[in-house]
Amino acid sequence: MSRLFGRIFQLAYVVEDIDAAIAHWTGTMGVGPFVRFPVPLQADWLEVRGRRVPADADIFAAVAIAYSGDTMIELIQPGSAPSPYREFLAAGRRGAHHLGTYADDYDAQMAAARAAGIGVAMEGVLPMSRFAYLDTDLLWPGTMVEIIEAKPEMHAYFGAIQAAARNWDGKTPVQAI
């Protein structure tokens, strides 16, 4: 638990090839099944580096998640539009991109981050959540923090994916939930 950003529940990786990443996580790491999100994600609004972008911008080429116990593994293959994911790969970085946290008080946590001089790389509203990626990695090399204000529907959806992981036989790397 981060006393500043909330409970860490997610490790997210930016990948150049989501199919290869899923094969690694399911075959080598034994984590699965993965569930792919439909792209483009249907955002109510989205800002990258403080600039509003179209809701259907090509931010994501592919997104998939799976669980290992209580930890979500998220794989993101960036689309062609400017994004923190594209920046990450362009900087020659690989591996963990961000830690996902559930916000206890999104507005207060965002205000505290801004007051501490932490920038916002991307922020938006999706049908099941409000989220922001904080530039915590600029202050010290490492990973960003994503603050997520999840609606009950998101918790239920993620719970179904977590249940699929508990019952996974290792045979089908990608499933629909």
Side-chain angles (χ1 to χ4, degrees):
M1 172 94 174
S2 165
R3 69 177 178 79
L4 302 175
F5 304 118
R7 181 173 67 87
I8 296 170
F9 74 97
Q10 176 194 75
L11 299 173
Y13 297 83
V14 171
V15 301
E16 294 182 73
D17 180 341
I18 202 160
D19 294 321
I22 289 171
H24 169 75
W25 277 95
T26 57
T28 303
M29 304 299 287
V31 174
F34 278 83
V35 174
R36 288 180 180 256
F37 289 175
V39 291
L41 298 179
Q42 298 304 312
D44 293 344
W45 63 268
L46 189 60
E47 289 182 359
V48 175
R49 303 266 172 226
R51 299 184 72 183
R52 196 60 70 112
V53 298
D56 62 350
D58 185 31
I59 300 285
F60 306 96
V63 179
I65 65 170
Y67 272 86
S68 176
D70 290 332
T71 304
M72 176 192 289
I73 304 299
E74 180 178 36
L75 306 174
I76 301 167
Q77 181 179 326
S80 60
S83 70
Y85 319 118
R86 188 85 6 246
E87 293 168 6
F88 185 80
L89 293 178
R93 296 177 68 187
R94 300 293 179 271
H97 177 265
H98 67 269
L99 303 174
T101 66
Y102 285 129
D104 295 322
D105 183 337
Y106 184 92
D107 293 322
Q109 287 167 264
M110 289 299 293
R114 286 184 171 110
I118 300 171
V120 178
M122 187 163 77
E123 186 173 17
V125 172
L126 300 170
M128 292 192 288
S129 70
R130 180 166 56 152
F131 70 94
Y133 288 90
L134 303 179
D135 274 328
T136 51
D137 65 327
L138 296 179
L139 303 174
W140 182 263
T143 56
M144 289 183 163
V145 169
E146 179 185 15
I147 295 178
I148 302 167
E149 181 183 66
K151 293 181 181 179
E153 308 91 277
M154 176 176 268
H155 287 296
Y157 184 58
F158 288 172
I161 296 169
Q162 191 172 18
R166 281 193 300 272
N167 301 314
W168 186 51
D169 62 8
K171 293 180 183 171
T172 308
V174 178
Q175 294 181 6
I177 300 289

